[in-house]
Amino acid sequence: MSRRQQPSEAFAAEEQHRADGLARRAGEIASTPNHPSTGSLPHYQEAYRQASATAAAHTAQPGKGA
């Protein structure tokens, strides 16, 4: 039996904030030749995708009953 996840705007905002920070960091790494974290860039990118998806999943969607 699965439960439907209810929107949590506060959690969504936290995850969006985290995604924004990860995007900035990934951009910094990608734009800096020989950056010491270049090898970790795919991990930053995946963490960004996960945080963004989590934020979207916990945001109330227009037209959907709460």
Side-chain angles (χ1 to χ4, degrees):
M1 177 188 334
S2 67
R3 276 192 316 154
R4 184 181 157 149
Q5 183 74 37
Q6 293 297 315
S8 173
E9 297 299 323
F11 181 62
E14 288 176 15
E15 283 296 281
Q16 187 59 54
H17 180 72
R18 186 169 77 93
D20 293 344
L22 287 161
R24 279 190 298 278
R25 182 71 173 147
E28 176 186 311
I29 293 168
S31 67
T32 305
N34 300 315
H35 193 284
S37 296
T38 297
S40 298
L41 183 57
H43 300 286
Y44 281 95
Q45 293 167 327
E46 180 59 25
Y48 165 78
R49 284 188 286 275
Q50 290 176 0
S52 295
T54 300
H58 287 85
T59 299
Q61 301 298 313
K64 305 263 180 172

